[in-house]
Amino acid sequence: MTHTPTRSLTDAADLSHAPVDITAVLDHLVREANAAAATSIGFPAAVDLDQTEVMARLGNRLWNNIGDPADPGGGAHTRALERAVVAWVADILAMPTDDRWGYVTTGGTEGNLSALHAAHRRHPTARIYYSTAAHYSIPKSVEILGARGVVISARPDGEMDYAHLAAQLRKRRRRPAIVVATAGTTLTEAVDDSARIRAALDENGVQGHLHIDAALSGIPLALDGRLRFDDAGGIASIAVSGHKFLGTPTPCGVVLIRDSMRGHGSHVAYTDTADTTITGSRCGLAAALLWHAIATHGREGHRWRASEARTLAAYAVNQLTAAGWPAWRHPHAFTVVLPTPPEPVRKNWPLATDGGTSHIICMPGVTRGQIDAFVADIAAAAPPAPIPQPRLSPEPRTSAAGG
Ligand SMILES: Cc1ncc(COP(=O)(O)O)c(C=O)c1O
C-alpha cells in the first residue's frame, strides 16, 4: 500500500484534491493517535472501556435524538437509552425523582451553558459568581448569555475562597445570585464545598441558583456518595462530561436540572419535538455509548475503576516525590499536580501546564508502566527548587460536596 507523505496530511489543500489515498490518510491518523496514546497522561479521558460493539452495530448510520429526551420521536434515535443514562446519573446523585430533568449533551461545556441558561431565565438580574479556578466554559457562558460575572478568588490548591464569595455576595445582597461551584477543577481537581456556598448565600439572604460544574469528578464522587443532588443540598443543576470518566470515543456529557427550575421550551411543529436543549440535532450515538459503558460495568464496576485510578495517582505522587519532584494530589483526585518539568520532558509528554505548575491525570486505563516511564524521564532532569505544598482541604464529605 502506498502511504501519502505525512506533510500532505497536514495540508488541507492536498486532502481536498483528488487523487487522495483515502485509506492511507485514515491509517495515518490512527497511527499518529496510537503513537500519542503512550504518553497521553495529561488530559482526562479514560481509555479502558471497549466500545467496539456499539461502534460496530450502530456506528454506520445517523442516530438523531433531536428535541427533548422525553419526545416519542420517529426514525432512528436512541432516546430510550438517553433516558436510561439520565436516570442512572440522577440516581447515583440521589436527585429527587419527582423534580428531575436532563439530557445528553455534547460535553461539559454545553451542560454548563444549558444549566446557566435555565438559571439566567429564572433570575435575569442575577450576577454569575465563579472562581478563578473555574473552567473557561463558565465565563464563555456568561458572555453568551449577556450576563454579568463576578470572579471569586481561589486558594492555591484550587478551592474557592468562601470569605471572598461572602464579601462579594454582601456587596450585591439585593440581587439574586447564580453561583457556580466546581467538583473537580481543571488544573488541581479541587472540589468546592457547596454547603459553605449555600451558607454564604443564606447568611446574606441572597436568593439564587447553585450550579455544580462536575465535568471530571461528578460521576466518581457520586459513586462514593460524596456528591449528592438531594433536597438537603440546595443544588439546582449539575453538568458532567461523558468522555472523561466514562471514556466514550466521542465528546459528550449529561446535564441535570431540577424540573421546577427550568423553562419547558416551545413546540417545534416541523420536527414535532420540544425545543428544550441547546443544540437542535443531538448525537444519539453518544447516548448509546454512555448507556453501554453504564450497562456493561454498573455502579460497582465504575466504583472499582475510580478506586484503581486513585491508587495509581497515589503511586504517581510517591514515585515523583521519591525522584525529587515534589508532587501532590487531593485525596479523592486522579490528578497529580507537579512543578512544570523542563522542556525535553514536556516534548515527550504533552502535559496540561499553567505557568510553573503542570498536572498528569491518572484516568482509568493509564498504566503503572506509563507512570514509571514519565518518572524516569523526570528523574533524568535536574530536580527543581521545592515548591510550597498548598494546604489541602479534607476529603470532600457528602455535605461538603453536595449536602
Ligand atoms: C471543570 C471543567 N468543566 C468543564 C469542562 C469542559 O468539558 P468539555 O470539554 O466536555 O466541554 C472541563 C474540561 O476539561 C472541565 O475540566
Side-chain angles (χ1 to χ4, degrees):
M1 186 206 303
T2 52
H3 290 298
T4 307
T6 306
R7 185 191 53 76
S8 68
L9 294 181
T10 58
D11 184 337
D14 283 0
L15 288 175
S16 59
H17 286 94
V20 173
D21 184 340
I22 289 170
T23 307
V25 171
L26 299 178
D27 283 349
H28 175 83
L29 289 175
V30 172
R31 262 199 314 279
E32 286 217 318
N34 285 343
T39 55
S40 184
I41 57 174
F43 296 91
V47 288
D48 60 326
L49 301 186
D50 184 355
Q51 293 277 16
T52 327
E53 189 179 1
V54 184
M55 296 309 282
R57 289 174 192 272
L58 307 191
N60 221 7
R61 69 183 303 160
L62 175 66
W63 301 91
N64 192 341
N65 289 2
I66 188 167
D68 190 274
D71 283 330
H77 65 84
T78 65
R79 288 195 194 86
L81 302 187
E82 181 177 17
R83 290 192 292 270
V85 168
V86 169
W88 188 84
V89 179
D91 284 345
I92 62 170
L93 284 160
M95 187 179 187
T97 49
D98 59 351
D99 192 16
R100 57 162 72 161
W101 177 82
Y103 73 96
V104 170
T105 62
T106 52
T109 297
E110 184 186 338
N112 287 333
L113 178 59
S114 171
L116 293 179
H117 179 233
H120 190 244
R121 276 178 62 118
R122 287 186 72 225
H123 305 288
T125 60
R127 297 291 184 252
I128 302 182
Y129 297 75
Y130 58 92
S131 92
T132 51
H135 186 257
Y136 67 90
S137 59
I138 302 299
K140 180 159 65 180
S141 298
V142 171
E143 199 220 305
I144 291 170
L145 294 170
R148 298 266 296 270
V150 179
V151 181
I152 305 300
S153 311
R155 303 187 326 213
D157 70 359
E159 195 172 334
M160 184 181 279
D161 176 341
Y162 307 105
H164 190 221
L165 173 69
Q168 292 300 315
L169 288 169
R170 202 169 308 125
K171 275 194 194 168
R172 303 168 181 83
R173 60 192 334 158
R174 280 199 293 277
R175 276 184 193 282
I178 297 166
V179 183
V180 179
T182 310
T185 59
T186 311
L187 288 176
T188 67
E189 211 177 319
V191 177
D192 292 333
D193 184 337
S194 60
R196 293 183 71 177
I197 293 173
R198 261 297 17 129
L201 286 163
D202 294 346
E203 274 157 27
N204 289 290
V206 176
Q207 296 268 310
H209 181 117
L210 175 53
H211 171 64
I212 314 288
D213 173 3
L216 171 60
S217 308
I219 291 176
L221 289 179
L223 287 166
D224 292 348
R226 289 189 281 188
L227 178 61
R228 292 176 66 81
F229 197 169
D230 53 14
D231 281 327
I235 294 170
S237 52
I238 293 187
V240 302
S241 282
H243 52 284
K244 293 190 168 77
F245 181 69
L246 293 177
T248 53
T250 185
C252 62
V254 174
V255 65
L256 297 168
I257 306 175
R258 284 184 174 266
D259 198 39
S260 55
M261 297 185 185
R262 68 177 183 107
H264 285 72
S266 51
H267 182 257
V268 180
Y270 91 100
T271 54
D272 194 21
T273 54
D275 184 19
T276 54
T277 57
I278 296 285
T279 65
S281 290
R282 296 187 306 107
C283 183
L285 184 61
L289 290 162
L290 285 171
W291 172 80
H292 184 260
I294 289 167
T296 48
H297 295 273
R299 280 192 197 206
E300 278 317 309
H302 289 299
R303 231 175 246 144
W304 180 83
R305 294 176 63 239
S307 150
E308 290 291 296
R310 288 179 186 129
T311 302
L312 186 66
Y315 173 79
V317 169
N318 287 341
Q319 297 303 101
L320 283 163
T321 307
W325 209 264
W328 63 274
R329 64 185 268 271
H330 289 284
H332 61 273
F334 308 144
T335 303
V336 173
V337 185
L338 59 150
T340 298
E343 175 61 22
V345 177
R346 294 209 315 275
K347 237 176 121 199
N348 285 343
W349 300 88
L351 303 177
T353 292
D354 184 20
T357 304
S358 295
H359 73 211
I360 59 170
I361 310 197
C362 297
M363 294 302 289
V366 172
T367 64
R368 264 187 187 222
Q370 285 174 291
I371 299 302
D372 290 342
F374 177 63
V375 174
D377 276 5
I378 292 251
I387 49 163
Q389 178 102 349
R391 191 180 61 77
L392 292 185
S393 48
E395 288 257 352
R397 303 174 307 274
T398 300
S399 62

